[in-house]
Amino acid sequence: MKLSRQLVVGSLAVLVLSACSSSPTQRRQAKNDFNYLDTKDFKPWVLPQDATPQFYPDYDIPQGDFNGGIGPVVDIRPPQQVLELIPGARAERQNGEVTLWMIRKDEADKVWQIANTMMQERNIKAVQSNANHVETDWVTWVSEDEDMEIGSRYELSRVEANNRYGFKISLIDWREGGKQKPVTATNKERYNAFMTNLVTARYDQDVRAEAARKAQELVKQIPITMGSDRSGFPVIIARTPYDILWQRLPDLLPKMGFKIEERNQSQGTMKAKYASPDDEFWNEIGVKPMNLNSGTYTFLFGDLGNRTSINVTNSAGKPVEEELLKEMVPVLAAIVDERKPTQQ
């Protein structure tokens, strides 16, 4: 069975951030009080006469004049990460701005086009735009971590440096509850990442759709034969990679009379209830009906590289007889061969 991890990235619609606390303010602030703000100034450590001091630098407090929020102003939420969904792209973050760098110009062109497509699909209007620059109108975000509805405006631009091609996102305006306010470093860093992730998720959506289309082309005809697994037990062998076959299984099995109830791609299993199709189906595909009793069966798919093994167990978890697997081979072969018309 296939045991590889699968990462599923869901689409980003109106952004909703989940958290545990009931108060947005509490979700952003430290849980305890801020008595540390009343801490008295440090005093020099007085050592006994003739004592030899030994200090470890592990916890030295850096010296210098540092600017930043303290107390309730400090945002304790973890930094928002940029989703790495564009192969070969590197995300660079400076002063809260995000730039996605790519080696090839055609990849940068594709990301730029997808960004414009994403804006149209989400009704994000452009105040100004040209071939290399877009300034957006207000984008509204709904977040459980914020006390009120917030809005932001962005500059999207194409950049080039050191034989690399980039796509840059910068938050330029901010408002809370309809009132415009200065852009803080925290909001700039967080909401630039959110906007970048809308673009990377849309890119990933296109890649997955293209992969599914190519998979459909590759599996129009799959050789199906009997074989054996690594332990020598009889199995059905589909001469196509696991990931490609999996794309078509929700279409193939119902045609054979199996109603899919559960499926798990990472484990390579599908649970389905079988009811034999009518005589018209068997006549149409030109194959003898299977002697498979009605009931619930589990299909087990094994990743063998450029091939996929198929085994079937009954409701008790026991493998079906080899003869039933052999009967299933010509049925599967007829179903996956798209040159032959099959019952829908």
Side-chain angles (χ1 to χ4, degrees):
M1 293 184 288
K2 187 170 181 65
L3 299 176
S4 62
R5 294 184 179 179
Q6 302 289 330
L7 176 62
V8 178
V9 180
S11 61
L12 300 173
V14 177
L15 186 66
V16 179
L17 308 178
S18 61
C20 299
S21 175
S22 59
S23 167
T25 301
Q26 290 177 345
R27 282 192 281 269
R28 296 194 309 271
Q29 293 180 357
K31 184 176 181 180
N32 296 323
D33 56 41
F34 304 104
N35 291 338
Y36 69 89
L37 297 176
D38 301 324
T39 302
K40 296 180 180 179
D41 292 337
F42 293 121
K43 295 181 179 179
W45 195 342
V46 179
L47 296 172
Q49 189 175 5
D50 299 328
T52 302
Q54 294 185 3
F55 298 100
Y56 295 90
D58 303 62
Y59 304 103
D60 281 356
I61 298 176
Q63 300 298 314
D65 185 14
F66 301 98
N67 297 318
I70 58 175
V73 178
V74 177
D75 193 328
I76 67 168
R77 292 175 296 179
Q80 178 65 28
Q81 300 298 313
V82 175
L83 300 176
E84 297 181 358
L85 299 176
I86 302 179
R90 185 176 68 85
E92 179 181 83
R93 304 178 76 165
Q94 289 186 344
N95 301 320
E97 297 177 342
V98 179
T99 304
L100 295 175
W101 289 106
M102 284 142 282
I103 302 291
R104 293 171 21 217
K105 185 177 184 300
D106 60 336
E107 277 297 322
D109 292 342
K110 183 177 180 180
V111 173
W112 181 256
Q113 181 58 47
I114 285 177
N116 282 273
T117 300
M118 180 275 296
M119 289 179 56
Q120 294 175 6
E121 292 174 345
R122 298 180 179 278
N123 198 28
I124 300 175
K125 298 180 180 179
V127 177
Q128 298 179 8
S129 66
N130 55 44
N132 297 307
H133 175 269
V134 173
E135 182 178 320
T136 75
D137 201 349
W138 289 102
V139 180
T140 299
W141 304 89
V142 178
S143 169
E144 293 181 358
D145 289 350
E146 305 292 350
D147 297 293
M148 59 193 71
E149 182 181 273
I150 57 179
S152 52
R153 293 201 316 115
Y154 295 87
E155 279 187 352
L156 314 181
S157 55
R158 305 178 68 173
V159 293
E160 183 176 346
N162 301 323
N163 294 320
R164 297 183 304 168
Y165 305 90
F167 170 76
K168 184 177 181 180
I169 295 181
S170 179
L171 189 153
I172 56 175
D173 280 320
W174 181 261
R175 69 184 181 188
E176 298 176 5
K179 296 182 179 180
Q180 195 161 342
K181 295 189 176 184
V183 178
T184 65
T186 298
N187 289 334
K188 192 172 186 180
E189 178 178 301
R190 193 170 189 81
Y191 285 89
N192 273 335
F194 287 158
M195 178 58 75
T196 304
N197 286 341
L198 287 181
V199 176
T200 59
R202 185 60 179 80
Y203 182 100
D204 184 69
Q205 178 184 333
D206 273 13
V207 169
R208 289 174 179 272
E210 179 64 14
R213 185 190 67 78
K214 289 182 178 179
Q216 286 292 100
E217 292 296 321
L218 289 173
V219 295
K220 284 185 176 179
Q221 183 182 7
I222 303 173
I224 306 290
T225 59
M226 279 297 296
S228 57
D229 61 15
R230 294 184 177 94
S231 301
F233 293 105
V235 293
I236 299 172
I237 298 294
R239 299 189 181 279
T240 190
Y242 171 86
D243 289 336
I244 293 177
L245 180 63
W246 185 269
Q247 296 284 341
R248 286 202 59 195
L249 289 172
D251 175 60
L252 297 177
L253 293 184
K255 289 180 179 180
M256 297 173 60
F258 291 94
K259 181 180 179 181
I260 299 175
E261 297 180 333
E262 299 176 12
R263 54 181 173 173
N264 188 317
Q265 184 174 358
S266 62
Q267 294 183 8
T269 60
M270 278 195 183
K271 185 178 179 181
K273 183 175 291 186
Y274 178 71
S276 180
D278 54 26
D279 293 340
E280 181 182 352
F281 168 80
W282 301 110
N283 291 332
E284 191 172 342
I285 66 173
V287 176
K288 291 175 57 178
M290 297 184 296
N291 292 315
L292 190 66
N293 295 327
S294 299
T296 300
Y297 296 87
T298 299
F299 286 80
L300 310 174
F301 301 94
D303 190 345
L304 305 179
N306 63 347
R307 299 173 301 152
T308 304
S309 65
I310 306 172
N311 207 344
V312 185
T313 61
N314 57 26
S315 57
K318 296 181 179 180
V320 299
E321 297 176 359
E322 181 178 357
E323 193 61 35
L324 289 175
L325 290 179
K326 291 180 178 180
E327 291 181 3
M328 201 173 292
V329 168
V331 181
L332 265 173
I335 292 294
V336 300
D337 189 350
E338 292 192 347
R339 297 173 303 177
K340 297 179 181 180
T342 56
Q343 178 174 297
Q344 299 295 325

